[in-house]
Amino acid sequence: MPTTESVEFLNQELEKIEKWEKDQKGLWFWEKIGRLPFALLDKLTPKFIQAKIGMAIDELGSYIQTGGQYLISEKAVFQKFNLKNEIISLEQVGQLPLSQMDEVAEELKNSRTKFAAVQGATTGFGGIFTLAIDIPVLLSLSLKVLQEIALSYGYDPKEKAERIFIVKCLQFASSDVVGKKAILEDLTDFASEKKNQRMISQLQGWREVVITYRDNFGWKKLFQLVPIAGMIFGSIINKSSIADVAETGMMLYRKRRILERLQQMKKPGEV
């Protein structure tokens, strides 16, 4: 099922992604001041709720090792390609035109963003008590949409290397301009990285994501402390967060697929 995309087309699409990367100039105003009031949020949050948040975050750490309960099924994503009810494999997906991959990824992004808005309104309704579960739930939604996007572009989140890539997508989505630059440089050589990376470094990467999420959400989440009113803020915040994560996943996975195809199309002897 080879694609008919030309080198010129792939290079044009790559330029669009690189322009998007340059436009990621850092954090918005809310994120820049977000870390300051998180200490206040800690003081306002009862200890038993903080303990629940900590337990959920620790549980998420297992994802980088085994995927745990957060791994998703390929079947639902494959069905969205609707190729005359054919049984499709990751190899087949990887050979589809980019336009088909983009269409499925965009559909997943829109669906998960709408779901995040509803979820944010739900957890915002109860104020401080439902806020306690909001961050781990949002992280779980982020993992789900990134895995779905990975499958949309023919990559398997069951592989540990892909889970590391997903963690880096999360890092990119919530990093400042310096962090984004470092992650992009890291991902440039991702395909050549050794798959037997030390477990401690993998786990450290995950914990950095959790800390960044927690700190950046600090200020914004204060608006959710008030019951009822928190519905509005929760819906907007979570919808925006998942949209950003999904866009990052689409761009970075799309870039990988384009670079791989360009590499395959090189003539023998070309560097």
Side-chain angles (χ1 to χ4, degrees):
M1 199 188 304
T3 66
T4 57
E5 296 157 345
S6 66
V7 172
E8 290 75 17
F9 170 80
L10 292 174
N11 279 320
Q12 288 173 3
E13 296 303 301
L14 184 59
E15 287 178 6
K16 293 178 183 178
I17 296 172
E18 290 173 344
K19 181 180 183 302
W20 173 85
E21 291 174 347
K22 291 178 182 178
D23 290 340
Q24 305 303 299
K25 295 181 179 179
L27 302 173
W28 291 97
F29 174 73
W30 290 117
E31 280 74 19
K32 290 180 179 179
I33 65 173
R35 299 177 184 182
L36 298 177
F38 200 86
L40 174 60
L41 182 60
D42 278 343
K43 290 180 180 179
L44 293 174
T45 306
K47 289 184 177 179
F48 79 93
I49 297 180
Q50 291 188 41
K52 281 190 174 182
I53 295 175
M55 289 172 62
I57 288 174
D58 286 341
E59 182 182 349
L60 286 176
S62 66
Y63 171 78
I64 195 67
Q65 300 180 64
T66 65
Q69 62 178 311
Y70 301 102
L71 282 177
I72 63 170
S73 170
E74 300 173 348
K75 186 176 180 181
V77 175
F78 289 168
Q79 288 177 341
K80 293 183 179 297
F81 285 98
N82 194 30
L83 298 180
K84 300 179 180 179
N85 298 319
E86 292 180 17
I87 298 176
I88 202 166
S89 66
L90 276 172
E91 289 75 18
Q92 288 174 297
V93 172
Q95 295 177 26
L96 292 173
L98 278 173
S99 59
Q100 286 184 259
M101 295 178 173
D102 294 340
E103 184 178 348
V104 170
E106 186 67 31
E107 179 185 346
L108 290 166
K109 172 188 172 184
N110 293 336
S111 172
R112 300 311 170 198
T113 299
K114 291 177 182 177
F115 181 83
V118 174
Q119 181 269 326
T122 302
T123 53
F125 179 83
I128 190 170
F129 293 98
T130 48
L131 173 60
I133 64 171
D134 192 46
I135 291 176
V137 169
L138 191 56
L139 284 170
S140 178
L141 287 174
S142 298
L143 285 176
K144 182 179 179 66
V145 71
L146 285 173
Q147 288 182 91
E148 290 175 329
I149 289 172
L151 290 168
S152 300
Y153 287 95
Y155 298 97
D156 189 357
K158 292 190 181 72
E159 295 182 1
K160 187 177 294 182
E162 289 308 324
R163 295 199 294 274
I164 294 172
F165 190 88
I166 285 171
V167 166
K168 291 185 180 296
C169 287
L170 281 173
Q171 285 178 307
F172 184 91
S174 58
S175 293
D176 58 19
V177 63
V178 177
K180 289 180 189 296
K181 182 179 179 181
I183 292 168
L184 285 176
E185 290 176 354
D186 190 15
L187 293 180
T188 298
D189 299 322
F190 184 83
S192 62
E193 289 183 2
K194 295 180 180 179
K195 293 187 178 181
N196 59 348
Q197 297 181 47
R198 291 180 301 174
M199 188 63 67
I200 186 65
S201 64
Q202 296 168 356
L203 288 173
Q204 180 62 30
W206 173 256
R207 290 186 180 279
E208 287 171 0
V209 174
V210 172
I211 292 170
T212 303
Y213 262 72
R214 190 202 71 168
D215 289 353
N216 283 346
F217 288 167
W219 179 267
K220 294 184 294 185
K221 291 299 182 183
L222 285 176
F223 290 106
Q224 288 182 255
L225 291 177
V226 182
I228 310 301
M231 290 179 62
I232 299 173
F233 294 109
S235 178
I236 294 172
I237 291 166
N238 287 15
K239 179 180 179 181
S240 174
S241 298
I242 293 299
D244 289 345
V245 167
E247 180 182 43
T248 296
M250 288 179 65
M251 288 294 183
L252 297 182
Y253 269 110
R254 196 170 192 267
K255 182 179 182 180
R256 273 179 69 185
R257 182 56 68 190
I258 289 173
L259 289 174
E260 288 178 11
R261 289 187 176 175
L262 285 171
Q263 184 64 35
Q264 292 169 0
M265 296 169 74
K266 282 185 178 179
K267 298 178 181 179
E270 287 184 349
V271 180

